[in-house]
Amino acid sequence: MIIAALLEVQRVSQKKKKQKPSRRAVLTVNVEEIDQIIDKAGQEPLNQDECKHLRNTVHAMAAQLQKQHRTTEKSKELFGGEADPVEASTTDKDGGGSESDSGIKNENGGESDKASPEARPTRRGGRGRNGAADYTGATIVPVPCKEVTPKSLCPGCIKGKVYEKLPCPPLIRITGMPPIQATVYQLQSLRCNLCGQLYTADPPQDIGEEKYDQSVPAMVGVLKYGSGMPFTRIEKLQNQMGIPLPAGTQCDLINEAALKLMHVGEELNRLAAQAEVLTFDDTVARILDDVERPETQDEDRTGLKTTGIVAEVGDRKISLFVTGPQHAGENIGDLLRQREKDLPPVVGMADALACNNPKIPPGVVLLLSNCLTHGRRQFVDIFENFPNECRHVIEQLGLVYLHDEEARDRGLSPEERLSLHLQKSAPVMGELKGWMEAQLADKKTEPNSELGKAIKYFLKRWDRLTLFLRHPGSPLDSNVVERALKKAILNRKNAYFYKTQHGARVGDLFMTLIHTCELNGINPFDYLYQVLRHAAEAQACPAAWLPWNFHLQLHPVSE
C-alpha cells in the first residue's frame, strides 16, 4: 500500500508538471457594448454584471493611460511589491480581477486605440543581443560581390543593370585575445665562414624603437583605473596568456604616461572652473605613506578623502577626482580660484553635509543647492514605521522627477525647463511644504520622532532643496557625482589603498580622463593612446587635445 501511495503521488506530480502555464488574462473591450451600457445608465439602473464590466473596463483603460505616477524599483519594495502604475491592471473576460501584465484588447484581438503608444509600458529590448551599430570599436571590412559590379549587366537576364540596394544584414565575428599582446621578431644572422663577416637582417621600419608601445600604458590605465583591476591581477592574467607584464613594469609605464597626460588634466581643471553647474561629494580614501597636509588644517584631522566633481560646461561634462586630506568644500574652493571674473553665478549641488559647504574665494558667486534624493532618503529609511506619511512624500517627489524627465525627453533649454517646473512642480512642492508644516504645527507628528526629524531636515534646507524652482539649470540631485565616485570606490575595493600621495595623484589623473571620456561618449582607450602618441603636441596645446576635439587633430578638416 505504501508503494501504491507513492506511485499515486508521483503520478499527480507529473500531471501537474505537464499542465500548460496559464495564459495571461486579456480584457476584451467592445466600444459599442460600452456605449450601450452608458446609454442604459441614463434611463434605468444597471444590473450587477453590467456594473462590474463597466468598472473593470474603466479601471484597466485608466491604468494604461496613466503615466504620471512613476514608480521606481525601490518604491515597489517600499509599497509592498505593488504593480507599477504605468503597467495596466486588467481583468479577464468574465470580469475577474487580475494584476498580471496582460494588455487591453479590442474586440478584434488588437490593442485598444484608447491606449496611446506613449502610455504603453516600454519593453526591455535586446536581452544581451547587440546589433552591428553597437560595435563602434570594431573593424569594418567591406565585402564586394564577386559576380557583378554596380551598373553592370545582369547575368540572369542580360538586359537590365544591377544597382546597389540597402545593405544586407552584417555578419559579426568576435575574437578573443590578451589585453596586452606582444610580437617577437627573430632577426636572421649570417656569418661568412672564411672572413667572418656578420650579416644581420634589418628590423621592420614600422615597429618603433621602444619596447613598449604607447597602447600598453593606455590599456593598463583603462583596466586599473577604469575597471578596477589591480596591477597584480593584470600581471597574473598576462602570465596565463604567455605574455608577461610585471606589476612593477606596469607602475613605471603608468608614471611615465602620467607625465605626458598631466597638461591635458590641468586644462580640464581650468575649464571645469568655468562651469555653470558643479556637483561634488566625497568618499573615503587610504594612503599608506605620510601625506602632506595644508598648514591651515587642524592637527586633529587625519582623514583622507577622494572628492568627485562633475562640471557641466555647456553641453560637455567634465569629471574630476582629487584624493588627499581636504574635503569636497575645500577642493571646490581651490577649483573656483581658477574661475574667470565677470562670469554668471555657478550652481553648486551636494548633499547637506557640513564638509560639502564650499569655501568660496572672493569675486565668485556660488548658489548652493542640496540633493533632493538625500531628502527623500530620510523618508525611505523610516517607511516601515510611518507608511502613510512617507508614501505621500515619496509619491509627491516622484511627480517632480517625472516633470524633470519630461523636460529631458523634450530637450528643453534650462529656461524652458525652469518654466515647466514652475508650472507643474511648484504647486506640488508648495503643497508638500504646507503638509509638512501642518504635521508639526497641528501636532500630528512628534517633532523628536523619526518622522518629525525627517520633516525638519526637509524644512530646514527647503531653499537649497528647491533651487531648481528659481534658477535655470539647477539639478534635482547629486546622482551624477555619486555615479562618478563609483570609479574611486571600485579602485579602492580592489586595490585597497595608494602607497604614496604621488600614486594617488596619478590615479586621480587617469580616473579624470577616463570618466570624462565616458560622460561624453568617447572611447577612453583610443583617447589615451592618441594623446600619448602625440604627447609633444598635447603638451604644447592641451586645449586642442581634450576628449571631444582630439580627433580633429588626427583628421584635420580641409578648408
Side-chain angles (χ1 to χ4, degrees):
M1 294 178 63
I2 297 177
I3 297 177
L6 291 175
L7 291 175
E8 179 64 18
V9 170
Q10 183 179 6
R11 185 185 64 81
V12 173
S13 176
Q14 292 176 351
K15 183 178 180 180
K16 289 182 177 180
K17 290 181 180 180
K18 292 180 180 180
Q19 291 179 352
K20 295 183 179 179
S22 59
R23 300 178 62 183
R24 59 178 187 173
V26 176
L27 173 65
T28 301
V29 176
N30 188 324
V31 179
E32 296 180 358
E33 181 182 354
I34 299 300
D35 289 339
Q36 293 175 2
I37 294 176
I38 295 175
D39 293 339
K40 181 180 177 181
Q43 301 174 0
E44 58 182 274
L46 302 179
N47 58 41
Q48 185 177 2
D49 292 338
E50 291 172 337
C51 290
K52 190 174 184 180
H53 183 59
L54 183 60
R55 183 184 298 107
N56 291 334
T57 302
V58 172
H59 287 183
M61 296 180 67
Q64 282 283 352
L65 294 173
Q66 185 180 14
K67 193 179 178 181
Q68 58 259 31
H69 295 291
R70 177 172 173 266
T71 305
T72 62
E73 182 180 355
K74 184 66 175 177
S75 298
K76 289 183 181 180
E77 297 176 1
L78 289 174
F79 300 159
E82 295 180 4
D84 192 332
V86 176
E87 298 177 358
S89 296
T90 62
T91 55
D92 58 20
K93 189 172 182 179
D94 297 328
S98 171
E99 292 186 358
S100 66
D101 60 347
S102 58
I104 298 178
K105 300 291 184 179
N106 59 25
E107 59 182 343
N108 296 323
E111 292 187 358
S112 172
D113 296 333
K114 298 293 183 180
S116 62
E118 294 81 9
R120 297 169 193 153
T122 56
R123 295 182 178 179
R124 294 183 180 180
R127 293 188 179 180
R129 303 184 184 93
N130 297 307
D134 298 323
Y135 293 88
T136 56
T139 302
I140 300 177
V141 181
V143 181
C145 184
K146 296 182 179 180
E147 298 179 1
V148 293
T149 58
K151 297 184 180 181
S152 64
L153 289 176
C154 174
C157 64
I158 318 179
K159 292 182 180 180
K161 293 184 178 180
V162 294
Y163 293 91
E164 291 190 11
K165 60 182 289 292
L166 293 176
C168 298
L171 302 177
I172 302 175
R173 297 296 181 267
I174 302 174
T175 57
M177 60 187 66
I180 309 298
Q181 302 181 60
T183 304
V184 179
Y185 295 91
Q186 294 284 3
L187 303 181
Q188 188 178 29
S189 180
L190 305 173
R191 182 191 296 275
C192 176
N193 64 347
L194 184 60
C195 65
Q197 182 68 32
L198 184 65
Y199 300 91
T200 305
D202 296 329
Q205 297 181 356
D206 58 347
I207 65 172
E209 298 180 358
E210 299 292 335
K211 178 178 180 180
Y212 295 97
D213 183 68
Q214 298 299 341
S215 59
V216 178
M219 177 56 72
V220 172
V222 170
L223 290 175
K224 176 168 174 55
Y225 301 107
S227 301
M229 291 185 64
F231 291 141
T232 53
R233 196 173 300 171
I234 299 175
E235 176 184 3
K236 182 178 180 180
L237 175 63
Q238 289 298 129
N239 287 337
Q240 292 173 342
M241 301 297 173
I243 304 176
L245 188 64
T249 302
Q250 299 175 48
C251 187
D252 292 340
L253 293 173
I254 288 294
N255 285 328
E256 294 174 5
L259 295 176
K260 301 176 182 179
L261 298 170
M262 61 182 298
H263 296 83
V264 179
E266 292 172 354
E267 179 63 20
L268 284 176
N269 273 268
R270 187 201 65 78
L271 188 59
Q274 324 308 322
E276 296 89 15
V277 179
L278 291 173
T279 309
F280 46 92
D281 202 359
D282 283 329
T283 186
V284 296
R286 188 181 180 191
I287 302 175
L288 295 186
D289 289 355
D290 292 335
V291 175
E292 180 181 355
R293 297 180 179 273
E295 297 179 357
T296 58
Q297 191 175 97
D298 297 337
E299 295 181 358
D300 296 337
R301 282 180 54 183
T302 59
L304 298 174
K305 304 283 188 180
T306 294
T307 297
I309 304 172
V310 176
E312 298 181 22
V313 187
D315 57 347
R316 307 294 186 187
K317 288 185 179 180
I318 300 173
S319 182
L320 305 178
F321 294 87
V322 183
T323 300
Q326 297 192 139
H327 54 64
E330 295 167 328
N331 289 321
I332 284 292
D334 293 343
L335 179 67
L336 291 178
R337 290 188 181 90
Q338 305 179 55
R339 189 172 179 84
E340 298 176 359
K341 297 180 180 179
D342 302 328
L343 286 178
V346 56
V347 175
M349 165 56 72
D351 58 47
L353 288 177
C355 60
N356 286 335
N357 293 329
K359 296 186 176 181
I360 306 173
V364 177
V365 180
L366 184 138
L367 305 176
L368 187 58
S369 177
N370 282 159
C371 175
L372 206 59
T373 299
H374 281 76
R376 176 183 180 273
R377 186 180 300 168
Q378 305 296 319
F379 296 90
V380 171
D381 293 341
I382 61 173
F383 183 86
E384 293 183 358
N385 299 331
F386 305 91
N388 295 330
E389 295 85 351
C390 293
R391 182 186 186 114
H392 175 70
V393 175
I394 293 171
E395 287 182 342
Q396 293 300 97
L397 295 178
L399 293 177
V400 175
Y401 273 90
L402 182 74
H403 301 152
D404 199 63
E405 183 180 0
E406 178 186 349
R408 184 167 55 252
D409 293 342
R410 292 168 56 184
L412 300 184
S413 65
E415 291 74 17
E416 293 172 335
R417 171 179 174 269
L418 175 60
S419 177
L420 178 67
H421 275 301
L422 287 175
Q423 178 185 358
K424 296 186 176 182
S425 300
V428 175
M429 296 300 292
E431 186 276 334
L432 185 60
K433 183 180 182 182
W435 179 86
M436 290 183 175
E437 292 174 341
Q439 289 291 314
L440 299 179
D442 299 342
K443 301 187 182 302
K444 298 178 181 179
T445 300
E446 170 62 38
N448 292 328
S449 66
E450 293 178 330
L451 179 60
K453 292 178 181 179
I455 292 175
K456 289 191 291 184
Y457 175 96
F458 229 96
L459 294 177
K460 180 180 179 182
R461 300 165 178 84
W462 187 264
D463 289 340
R464 291 185 177 183
L465 289 169
T466 58
L467 183 64
F468 69 95
L469 296 176
R470 300 187 300 276
H471 189 82
S474 178
L476 299 183
D477 51 49
S478 60
N479 290 351
V480 64
V481 76
E482 299 287 352
R483 291 190 291 268
L485 283 174
K486 289 183 179 180
K487 286 288 181 190
I489 295 172
L490 180 65
N491 188 46
R492 184 186 68 212
K493 287 173 64 178
N494 287 276
Y496 298 122
F497 52 80
Y498 292 107
K499 179 67 168 62
T500 64
Q501 191 170 10
H502 171 74
R505 290 170 180 161
V506 171
D508 292 339
L509 174 60
F510 271 90
M511 286 191 296
T512 292
L513 297 177
I514 291 171
H515 194 54
T516 299
C517 288
E518 293 175 346
L519 290 177
N520 294 277
I522 309 297
N523 184 333
F525 168 75
D526 185 39
Y527 173 70
L528 294 176
Y529 174 51
Q530 296 298 343
V531 173
L532 290 174
R533 283 186 59 205
H534 303 83
E537 302 171 34
Q539 293 175 12
C541 185
W545 289 86
L546 296 178
W548 43 82
N549 59 10
F550 79 100
H551 62 279
L552 298 178
Q553 311 304 317
L554 303 175
H555 309 286
V557 179
S558 57
E559 298 181 358

